[in-house]
Amino acid sequence: LAYMDLDRFKTVNDLFGHTAGDEVLRQLCNRITKSMGSEHLLGRIGGDEFLVLLRGMALTEASSKCRELVELIDGSPFRVQELAFRIGVSFGAVEVTPGIEVVDLIAAADRACREAKRIATSGHVVAYGADAPAFQEHDEERVLVSRLTPERAPEFLAIAMQPIMSLHDPQGSLDFEVLLRARAPDGSAMPAGRVISVAEAHGRVGVIDRWVLGTVLEWLDTHLAQLTGTRFVTVNFSGASINDEQFMADAYAMLRAHPRAAARLCAEITEGVALRDFTQTRRVLERLREFDVKLALDDFGAGYTSFMYLSDLQADVIKIDGAIVESAARHPSRLSIVQAISDLSRNLGMRSIAEWVEDAATLRAMAEVGIDYIQGYAIARPMVPREILLGPHAAHWVADGTIRTALADIQANRVVVDDGAIYSTGKSLH
């Protein structure tokens, strides 16, 4: 069974209309069926997605046939009146064996096709045998999805916390980000990113976000007396959740029930999510502000950046993508980007946080360009909630001597502005 996904077909529909797109599909299907012969089957399952059942073929033979189809489709353009379109294609082929459910076969073929698209822009084939890890991974995903139900708390999830340190006053506050942790049924650690991606793919990420928000609010309420130095705690909100009216209604109810804890929260939304539905993001932000919740734009600069919307969104924090930060000390061009974001955030009255700060050179670079806060292994690794209560401030966990020296140098040479006070917009984050 082969899963076939067209490349660049959406461009035909978007630029030339669905009439042109339909004609391209007709020609494509005719071209494939003539090449395959009557013993095989071709079926369309989506806008530009197809299934091909290659009967009586071993996997190696089927892979070769898929490559023939790639060359057939990519080799000459599809002509619609005076227009000519070139369409690429990717295939994911899986071996059909007795006892495998059709839904599992399709899921595995889809996974193989996505891998083919990932390793090249078009024209690739990835094949999975019956013993391929993809089938086991699919079974694991089904088990994981079954454990993410609204009816019960996801007992395999936990939260961790990573300190966020102010470069203006490293010993002045204990702020941190809440991170997700997960365990497999056998008790081993499971990558949280995989849990989130599976939950997003199956519409269950709201279960995670709801549990995290409720857990954090209750924990903060319980320990507020010990968190006198904590001014903000960042918590991630997924794009699916902020666009889910029921989830947001539940979130507002939880915030209403924990007003003191809510005032410490800073909701993290990725820049891509904010731009995808700007109107909804702004509407959610306005409601969150009623509970004194702040907003942080996460992964800023990761590829979606558009400065024009920032003044309208009125976020409180910009978190600069770690992929830019980690190499900034070695690449002046990237440091210039960080400098520009730092200056922009300051001029708009926002705070800046640099992620993935892992060594003294990067820390010094962030201080030089005026970053407000840093987060990363240079300060501390994520820790369980009870450990975060042991530190009076974020600098408490800095153990590396070179980092301590860098912090001391930064404090000795820090820039003092605004009538003798460290730069402040008057916002409650600082």
Side-chain angles (χ1 to χ4, degrees):
L1 182 72
Y3 196 107
M4 182 178 80
D5 193 346
L6 304 182
D7 302 315
R8 303 189 297 274
F9 178 70
K10 185 176 184 296
T11 303
V12 177
N13 276 332
D14 290 348
L15 296 182
F16 300 97
H18 290 280
T19 300
D22 289 348
E23 180 57 29
V24 168
L25 289 180
R26 289 189 191 97
Q27 294 182 26
L28 177 136
C29 291
N30 287 335
R31 197 180 291 186
I32 292 175
T33 52
K34 288 179 181 179
S35 171
M36 290 196 312
S38 59
E39 70 271 27
H40 307 301
L41 292 177
L42 171 69
R44 184 182 179 209
I45 60 172
D48 58 358
E49 297 169 323
F50 296 78
L51 288 178
V52 183
L53 184 63
L54 298 166
R55 289 179 167 140
M57 284 189 179
L59 187 61
T60 53
E61 187 182 0
S63 298
S64 297
K65 186 62 180 177
C66 288
R67 290 189 175 87
E68 287 180 20
L69 294 175
V70 167
E71 295 175 3
L72 180 70
I73 295 169
D74 198 40
S76 59
F78 297 90
R79 299 190 178 278
V80 180
Q81 297 179 359
E82 74 278 8
L83 303 173
F85 304 102
R86 284 194 177 275
I87 303 296
V89 65
S90 299
F91 280 94
V94 296
E95 185 178 7
V96 179
T97 57
I100 298 181
E101 296 289 339
V102 172
V103 65
D104 296 335
L105 278 173
I106 295 174
D110 181 22
R111 185 191 294 265
C113 186
R114 281 186 275 120
E115 183 179 341
K117 291 177 74 71
R118 185 168 59 249
I119 61 178
T121 54
S122 64
H124 270 73
V125 177
V126 169
Y128 290 159
D131 58 349
F135 289 101
Q136 180 182 350
E137 291 171 1
H138 180 65
D139 289 339
E140 292 173 353
E141 284 188 8
R142 287 200 299 181
V143 172
L144 178 56
V145 170
S146 69
R147 301 172 74 190
L148 289 171
T149 61
E151 292 77 26
R152 61 176 182 173
E155 74 287 346
F156 67 102
L157 297 181
I159 57 173
M161 296 165 177
Q162 186 175 31
I164 299 173
M165 189 182 72
S166 168
L167 282 177
H168 300 307
D169 188 7
Q171 298 181 355
S173 63
L174 175 58
D175 308 310
F176 50 89
E177 178 181 1
V178 174
L179 302 168
L180 186 70
R181 294 294 181 262
R183 293 203 170 274
D186 62 2
S188 60
M190 184 187 306
R194 181 168 177 238
V195 174
I196 294 171
S197 64
V198 169
E200 288 177 337
H202 294 271
R204 300 290 178 86
V205 72
V207 175
I208 296 176
D209 285 354
R210 187 178 284 103
W211 177 83
V212 169
L213 180 60
T215 300
V216 171
L217 288 171
E218 290 180 8
W219 187 87
L220 286 175
D221 252 359
T222 302
H223 299 285
L224 276 175
Q226 298 167 265
L227 296 169
T228 55
T230 300
R231 296 175 295 197
F232 66 92
V233 177
T234 66
V235 177
N236 288 276
F237 280 62
S238 70
S241 291
I242 68 169
N243 285 283
D244 182 340
E245 294 294 336
Q246 184 57 56
F247 171 85
M248 291 312 304
D250 294 344
Y252 300 143
M254 285 188 277
L255 294 170
R256 193 175 296 110
H258 302 274
R260 294 191 306 154
R264 305 286 181 96
L265 281 190
C266 181
E268 283 195 28
I269 300 173
T270 62
E271 185 185 8
V273 168
L275 283 178
R276 197 174 304 132
D277 192 342
F278 184 79
T279 301
Q280 173 66 4
T281 300
R282 187 160 56 180
R283 184 162 50 242
V284 168
L285 174 58
E286 289 171 355
R287 286 296 311 276
L288 290 176
R289 288 200 188 283
E290 296 176 12
F291 303 96
D292 292 328
V293 176
K294 308 300 184 295
L295 174 69
L297 287 176
D298 196 15
D299 297 339
F300 194 85
Y304 297 94
T305 302
S306 174
F307 291 164
M308 291 296 293
Y309 74 93
L310 283 177
S311 59
D312 292 332
L313 193 59
Q314 296 182 339
D316 300 281
V317 178
I318 291 178
K319 295 193 75 174
I320 306 173
D321 183 61
I324 300 174
V325 172
E326 68 169 349
S327 59
R330 303 186 302 273
H331 299 285
S333 59
R334 293 197 174 186
L335 187 59
S336 296
I337 295 173
V338 177
Q339 171 86 68
I341 298 174
S342 173
D343 292 343
L344 177 69
S345 64
R346 183 178 300 107
N347 291 334
L348 292 175
M350 302 174 185
R351 288 283 173 243
S352 57
I353 300 177
E355 301 177 296
W356 296 11
V357 176
E358 299 186 353
D359 52 49
T362 305
L363 188 153
R364 291 178 183 274
M366 296 302 102
E368 288 174 7
V369 298
I371 292 297
D372 296 306
Y373 294 87
I374 59 172
Q375 179 180 352
Y377 289 174
I379 307 307
R381 293 176 178 269
M383 60 191 72
V384 296
R386 67 175 179 275
E387 291 181 5
I388 203 81
L389 298 173
L390 302 177
H393 48 73
H396 170 81
W397 286 278
V398 177
D400 186 283
T402 60
I403 301 297
R404 287 184 175 274
T405 299
L407 286 175
D409 291 344
I410 291 168
Q411 290 303 293
N413 299 288
R414 63 184 180 178
V415 176
V416 180
V417 295
D418 285 357
D419 299 325
I422 290 296
Y423 172 81
S424 173
T425 61
K427 290 199 172 187
S428 59
L429 275 179
H430 198 299

